[in-house]
Amino acid sequence: MEYTVVIERAPQNYAAWVPDLPGCVATAGSREELLDEIREAIGIHVASLREHGEPVPEPRSTAAVVEVAAAPVA
């Protein structure tokens, strides 16, 4: 399965969350470490859903980067 992961840069670290798995989040000091952490978090999250007899959501979200013109400075 491939889940979309949203990555956010904070002043001191990186954070990630998975739109299709509410509550599945991770933080780390680098982007590379974050990808390892969120991969592990997804595995734990899915295993917990299965263990509790809850359905595992199918990956449905996608992401895109959209380029926009810079807004004029007022």
Side-chain angles (χ1 to χ4, degrees):
M1 297 172 108
E2 291 184 353
Y3 284 99
T4 297
V5 174
V6 178
I7 299 171
E8 299 175 354
R9 176 75 169 113
Q12 301 297 319
N13 67 350
Y14 289 83
W17 55 280
V18 184
D20 293 319
L21 300 173
C24 186
V25 299
T27 62
S30 72
R31 193 178 199 294
E32 295 77 21
E33 183 184 359
L34 178 66
L35 293 175
D36 290 338
E37 294 292 327
I38 197 66
R39 187 177 294 110
E40 183 177 349
I42 291 169
I44 292 168
H45 193 93
V46 168
S48 178
L49 290 171
R50 288 181 176 146
E51 182 179 319
H52 291 94
E54 297 180 35
V56 176
E58 290 292 320
R60 297 182 187 271
S61 297
T62 61
V65 175
V66 178
E67 189 173 327
V68 296
V73 177

